[in-house]
Amino acid sequence: MASLIEVLINTLESENSEYEILLKLSKEKTPVIIEGDVDRLREIVAMEQVHTDKIVALEKKRTEAVKDIATVLNKDVNTLTVKTIIGLLKGQDEAQYHLSTAHDKLKRTLNDMVVVNEINRELVQDSLDFIEFNINFLNGISQMPETANYSNKAYNVEGYARPNFDAKN
């Protein structure tokens, strides 16, 4: 059982390390989004994908570790959580401390990611709203009638055409 707990602790610590890298990348995205640097944004997203793939593998490993611990403890795998496992480790202070620390670190990192990603989401939404406004504005200009485009000489500036009659005759 101790080795299963160790695997779980190591997996949580590895997951936290990957999420910390994603958090750093998410923080790097904020000024990039503001500046509108699409090429740099693509680079960051590509780097994020690499770490996301690693997290998916670690998540699978964590799920397997919890499943194995559930089997050893004769508990329902669907209701067994890391918090529950921490509570079940009474008398194993060192393992309980390390598992609790790894769990809390991961939870804090994930909470920080939520905050940064929400900021980035709002910035992207603002950018999209601004783009949509500009498109609508430009479309509106192209559909406006030219009747209001007169100069002080009272003829249409853009589409001036001589009249077809001569006023002297």
Side-chain angles (χ1 to χ4, degrees):
M1 169 82 166
S3 65
L4 292 175
I5 298 297
E6 248 181 73
V7 167
L8 182 58
I9 291 168
N10 292 336
T11 304
L12 290 174
E13 288 172 345
S14 296
E15 272 187 283
N16 187 59
S17 295
E18 291 299 322
Y19 275 114
E20 284 177 339
I21 293 168
L22 279 180
L23 177 59
K24 181 178 178 259
L25 290 170
S26 290
K27 287 179 180 179
E28 284 179 29
K29 271 198 302 192
T30 303
V32 169
I33 292 169
I34 292 169
E35 293 167 7
D37 186 349
V38 177
D39 292 331
R40 178 67 182 133
L41 187 59
R42 276 192 195 112
E43 291 172 10
I44 293 172
V45 169
M47 288 187 282
E48 284 178 327
Q49 188 59 50
V50 170
H51 295 284
T52 302
D53 292 344
K54 290 179 183 178
I55 289 170
V56 168
L58 288 166
E59 189 67 20
K60 185 176 178 182
K61 186 175 179 181
R62 184 194 57 79
T63 302
E64 286 299 316
V66 170
K67 183 178 172 187
D68 292 344
I69 291 168
T71 302
V72 168
L73 295 175
N74 198 26
K75 300 284 182 181
D76 181 16
V77 71
N78 297 318
T79 59
L80 189 64
T81 64
V82 174
K83 206 68 167 163
T84 307
I85 295 169
I86 292 168
L88 294 171
L89 289 175
K90 290 184 179 153
Q92 301 176 33
D93 295 339
E94 189 175 335
Q96 190 177 37
Y97 170 78
H98 288 299
L99 184 57
S100 179
T101 301
H103 177 263
D104 291 344
K105 275 184 179 178
L106 180 57
K107 198 170 180 177
R108 276 192 306 274
T109 303
L110 289 172
N111 286 336
D112 291 346
M113 279 199 65
V114 167
V115 170
V116 172
N117 285 338
E118 180 60 23
I119 291 168
N120 287 343
R121 186 197 64 75
E122 287 176 8
L123 288 170
V124 168
Q125 186 60 51
D126 289 348
S127 294
L128 291 172
D129 290 345
F130 184 69
I131 290 168
E132 183 179 5
F133 170 80
N134 283 330
I135 289 171
N136 290 337
F137 178 74
L138 293 173
N139 283 338
I141 287 177
S142 68
Q143 295 173 0
M144 289 178 64
E146 291 186 35
T147 59
N149 291 338
Y150 291 101
S151 73
N152 59 356
K153 295 183 181 178
Y155 60 85
N156 190 320
V157 175
E158 292 179 21
Y160 177 71
R162 288 198 172 267
N164 290 332
F165 67 91
D166 187 5
K168 292 182 185 177
N169 291 332

